[in-house]
Amino acid sequence: MELVERKEAVHWLWKHFLVSQRRICELIGVAESSQRYVSRRNDEALREGLIAAAREKPKWGYRRLQVKLQAKGMHVNHKRVYRVYREAGLLIRRRRRKRLVRAGFVRPMVMGANQEWALDFVHDAAESGRKFRVLSVIDVYTRECLALEVDTSFASRRVTRELEKIVAERGVPEAIRCDNGPEFTSRHFLAWCLEKKIELVHIEPGRPVQNAFVESFNGKLRDECLNASWFGNLFEARIKIGAWKEEYNEERPHSSLGNLTPREFARIAALRSPTAPCERQCEERKEAEVMCSGDFGVV
């Protein structure tokens, strides 16, 4: 139980029972000075800013809302933001899922852009009841959303056609990670990856955690776009989902990227390496693996 909840419990017990406040604080483990302290600072401006930002982005937590407030010139300590955030009743309740503990394996670290792309599908329906699918493609290193294509169905040829558009802009990735759906296990898709010299990594059946980056992205897409929007038809779904994609890449701060947007992080990563960002880093990684293995190629 956190301090705010314990202070509320002390206040409730003191109000409903004939027990001194000092005795209740001793039982619950709250400092008496902390319970009786009343802040003299006015948090009304911060409260109004948080409520306005939360109304605009209802699925954002207090850390992303703090980044949004800082962009508007309101620089406040994160602990104060969290306190006002809780007092305003903006806390997002998330249900913890039961997880089965399994023995893991060491996954190779992604060191640059275009080293690995992750693919998956998301399902939803329009107002008429017509179901549609969304093909999501992300770059695992930069967290950029490379594609969010919306259609009623996706054959393997349609998937490769969308990937060809991304390849024309960014180049060929080293690997593609996906599940075992029929679109990703067809002969056409396998032949396309073989022709482009792309390593195809299929996750184990029933183990979506092995494609965790795109699953996490799909969760954000579901909470912030699909569940928060009303799609009249397929055309409207394409417009709204496409607008959210641009917002995700250009405006939404990403906590794992130091609160930078994916596009900003991609620009910084490109400036750090004057050549193709992934090629030089991958060569260094391969050399390190050879050195660790002890095989120096000496005859």
Side-chain angles (χ1 to χ4, degrees):
M1 187 181 295
E2 297 187 6
L3 179 61
V4 176
E5 297 172 343
R6 284 184 288 169
K7 290 175 67 176
E8 292 176 355
V10 170
H11 181 74
W12 187 89
L13 291 171
W14 179 66
K15 184 178 180 181
H16 290 79
F17 296 94
L18 297 176
V19 185
S20 66
Q21 193 177 73
R22 177 180 298 177
R23 179 59 177 166
I24 297 174
C25 289
E26 291 178 356
L27 293 174
I28 297 184
V30 178
E32 195 174 351
S33 58
S34 175
Q35 179 67 27
R36 296 179 179 177
Y37 173 77
V38 178
S39 177
R40 298 178 181 178
R41 294 180 297 183
N42 188 2
D43 296 325
E44 193 60 32
L46 176 60
R47 183 190 300 271
E48 292 178 358
L50 277 174
I51 292 175
R55 285 176 179 171
E56 185 179 350
K57 302 293 181 185
K59 288 298 181 178
W60 284 18
Y62 79 98
R63 291 188 181 274
R64 286 195 177 86
L65 293 179
Q66 181 187 9
V67 174
K68 192 175 184 64
L69 293 178
Q70 288 178 348
K72 295 181 180 180
M74 187 178 294
H75 298 279
V76 188
N77 184 278
H78 70 279
K79 292 180 287 187
R80 184 181 174 191
V81 172
Y82 181 66
R83 177 174 55 81
V84 178
Y85 178 81
R86 288 183 61 98
E87 291 175 355
L90 302 175
L91 188 65
I92 300 175
R93 296 292 180 181
R94 299 189 182 276
R95 184 176 60 183
R96 292 190 177 183
R97 298 179 180 178
K98 296 180 180 179
R99 301 186 182 276
L100 179 63
V101 179
R102 295 189 178 99
F105 64 95
V106 179
R107 180 174 176 177
M109 184 178 295
V110 179
M111 304 295 293
N114 275 10
Q115 186 175 340
E116 183 177 292
W117 293 354
L119 280 64
D120 200 6
F121 286 102
V122 183
H123 301 259
D124 210 319
E127 179 184 3
S128 61
R130 189 177 187 183
K131 297 181 180 180
F132 60 83
R133 307 178 76 191
V134 183
L135 171 65
S136 53
V137 184
I138 66 166
D139 190 304
V140 173
Y141 181 71
T142 64
R143 306 294 200 276
E144 290 177 280
C145 176
L146 308 181
L148 271 182
E149 291 299 322
V150 182
D151 211 333
T152 54
S153 63
F154 278 90
S156 59
R157 294 184 182 275
R158 174 69 188 282
V159 175
T160 55
R161 188 162 67 245
E162 298 301 332
L163 292 177
E164 285 281 5
K165 296 178 184 178
I166 307 174
V167 168
E169 296 179 2
R170 299 175 57 93
V172 180
E174 293 185 14
I176 288 178
R177 183 177 291 268
C178 56
D179 57 23
N180 296 271
E183 304 86 358
F184 304 134
T185 55
S186 66
R187 293 182 179 179
H188 171 75
F189 190 78
L190 297 176
W192 182 82
C193 292
L194 187 62
E195 178 186 355
K196 297 292 184 180
K197 297 181 180 179
I198 301 174
E199 180 185 359
L200 187 57
V201 182
H202 286 112
I203 64 174
E204 298 178 26
R207 300 292 298 276
V209 70
Q210 294 182 2
N211 203 4
F213 292 102
V214 74
E215 293 291 343
S216 174
F217 171 81
N218 288 342
K220 299 178 180 67
L221 172 63
R222 175 71 63 186
D223 286 341
E224 299 176 14
C225 181
L226 300 182
N227 290 348
S229 304
W230 185 266
F231 307 115
N233 49 48
L234 189 63
F235 179 73
E236 186 178 343
R238 287 172 177 167
I239 294 177
K240 291 184 178 180
I241 293 175
W244 184 86
K245 171 194 167 188
E246 294 302 319
E247 178 187 340
Y248 174 84
N249 286 332
E250 300 287 349
E251 301 178 14
R252 188 185 188 280
H254 206 295
S255 58
S256 65
L257 303 179
N259 286 327
L260 295 175
T261 64
R263 196 60 52 84
E264 290 174 344
F265 180 79
R267 294 192 190 104
I268 294 175
L271 290 174
R272 288 175 179 173
S273 56
T275 58
C278 62
E279 293 180 0
R280 180 174 60 83
Q281 295 172 353
C282 289
E283 289 175 0
E284 294 176 357
R285 181 169 58 87
K286 291 177 181 177
E287 291 177 2
E289 291 176 355
V290 172
M291 294 290 290
C292 292
S293 63
D295 183 9
F296 303 101
V298 181
V299 180

